[in-house]
Every structure is written in C-alpha cells, then in structure tokens.
Amino acid sequence: MEVIPAIDLRGGAVVRLLQGNYDRQTTFGDDPVGVARGFEADGAPRIHVVDLDGAREGRRTQAAEVRAVAAAVGIPIELGGGLRSADVIAEVIADGVDRVVLGTAAVEEPELIEQALAAHGAERVIVGIDAREGIASVAGWTESGSIPATDLLDRMADLGVCRFIYTDITRDGTLTSPNFSAVSDMVERADAAGGSRIIASGGIAELDHLRTLANIGAEGAIIGAAIYLGTLDLAAAVAELG
C-alpha cells in the first residue's frame, strides 16, 4: 500500500484544517519545498498537494508553490484544488504534476472528467470523493451536494475513472481513526465497478490504522496531521507498508 504524505497549501504556507473548516487552521510553516524534500528523504513514493485556497475559490491560486515543489523532488506529486477547466489541468501537468485530483468537477461538471481522461489518460486523473455522512461535498468541502458517495463512484467509474481518493470529512485532521466501514464499502463498490482503486484519507493517526486500511484493500492512504504532529513516523510506515 502506498503511504502518501500531504502538503496542504494556504497563502503559501503549509497548513492543516480540522474537518475541512477554514476557520480551524493550524500552520506548520512557510516552506513547502523543505517539507516535500523531507518527505522524499523519508521514502515517500509520492506527495499529495492540495491548493486549499483554489478549492474554495474555484481557481488555481498557488501555481508558483506547486511548480517549486514539483521541481524540488524526484518523486511524483498529485494536485487537487481549483482545477475546474481543461486548460488548467493541462497547465498543471505541464508544470510537473503527475496526477490531478478532481472533486467538484465530478459532481458539477462530469464532462470535464471525460475531457481530462481523453486528454491525459486514466492513470493521471483521480476523482476525489469527499463525503460528509455519506454525501459528497464540493467547493473545498464548504458545500454539501446531494449525491451519495457510492453513487458518485459508480458514475465516475462508468466514465473510465480507475482511481478515487475517499475522504471522510468528519474524520479529517481529528487523529481519531479512519471511517473503516465507509472505506470498506467504497473498496467493495470499486471492485464491483470494474476494479477501480481506493486511496483512503481522513483520521489516520497511527501505524495500526494503516495496517487496517491495507487489510481492507485500500491501494493507498494519505496522511497529514499525524506526520506533522508526530503521532506517526512516515519513514517507518513506508518501510513496513510501502
């Protein structure tokens, strides 16, 4: 299972939000390049980068920071947040981003998912399903949709999406535990939809959580707060599970 550290960017700083709440932010520094290099040194196979301002505003806001991170490390990065047009998706890939993560577009503009798949291939396009009580949310988690997460997975798999990031918003940043039941349901749904893969996110605090996710069948896990707050050692996790 891939153990994927996260860099969430807001105003150029590395931050974490509690349960996706922009008013409950913890800042961990203003050097995303240094953080990325540290993750690479610990053996991370890739880095998950989120433009939080872009996610909420619906446009790319931290292009320079993303370019700098992509240029500084030799491992691939994936980027989500504010990617709402074919031109912007092409731009970030040209900037060195390996995979794009599309969330709001999957709910509000599925034709953009189709365009991205046709232009860049299924291995470079991930759909992020961010759920609150099983319902997909949009606009940087600030708005609730009306589509159950499982139904959204089915729709996107039908378009040819082969990889999903599933986040339980209520667990994100809490260091409680992942929603194992929901992740298991999504893995089963993905298998039934043709073998799509699930990357789990939200609530991971310790190595045992990662072991359980691996046993459930998650392809990967995204970790943020646990690394920054020291409850999980990235290098040890990668060494065991990577």
Side-chain angles (χ1 to χ4, degrees):
M1 182 179 77
E2 281 197 335
V3 179
I4 307 169
I7 296 176
D8 290 1
L9 296 173
R10 191 176 183 197
V14 179
V15 308
R16 296 298 296 168
L17 305 182
L18 181 62
Q19 298 177 322
N21 188 332
Y22 283 75
D23 295 325
R24 303 177 73 181
Q25 172 181 308
T26 303
T27 301
F28 292 100
D30 59 359
D31 183 14
V33 166
V35 172
R37 286 175 170 156
F39 289 161
E40 183 177 35
D42 283 340
R46 69 181 65 248
I47 299 172
H48 180 79
V49 180
V50 181
D51 178 351
L52 289 172
D53 296 317
R56 185 163 65 168
E57 297 176 22
R59 60 184 181 88
R60 191 179 187 198
T61 68
Q62 296 177 94
E65 290 83 355
V66 171
R67 282 194 294 268
V69 169
V73 296
I75 56 177
I77 71 168
E78 57 193 32
L79 173 68
L83 309 181
R84 309 283 172 81
S85 75
D87 287 346
V88 169
I89 291 168
E91 178 183 280
V92 302
I93 289 175
D95 283 348
V97 170
D98 179 61
R99 303 196 302 205
V100 293
V101 183
L102 308 177
T104 298
V107 177
E108 297 184 348
E109 196 179 356
E111 59 270 21
L112 179 58
I113 306 296
E114 293 183 277
Q115 293 170 11
L117 290 168
H120 306 291
E123 286 298 321
R124 305 198 81 164
V125 178
I126 302 175
V127 165
I129 300 180
D130 308 316
R132 185 179 277 112
E133 297 182 357
I135 304 299
S137 294
V138 298
W141 303 355
T142 62
E143 300 175 16
S144 293
S146 59
I147 303 174
T150 49
D151 289 357
L152 182 58
L153 184 150
D154 288 343
R155 294 183 190 183
M156 293 297 103
D158 285 345
L159 296 182
V161 175
C162 71
R163 182 172 286 108
F164 298 86
I165 295 172
Y166 176 76
T167 305
D168 185 313
I169 296 170
T170 63
R171 305 293 180 103
D172 195 69
T174 64
L175 297 180
T176 52
S177 73
N179 186 337
F180 294 119
S181 176
V183 173
S184 181
D185 288 346
M186 294 296 282
V187 168
E188 290 181 11
R189 196 72 165 235
D191 286 343
S196 297
R197 285 147 283 177
I198 300 295
I199 298 169
S201 176
I204 298 166
E206 58 190 48
L207 193 54
D208 275 346
H209 292 162
L210 293 176
R211 294 182 181 122
T212 301
L213 290 170
N215 288 334
I216 286 171
E219 181 192 52
I222 294 172
I223 312 165
I227 298 172
Y228 294 105
L229 297 174
T231 69
L232 189 148
D233 184 280
L234 176 61
V238 171
E240 177 174 332
L241 296 165

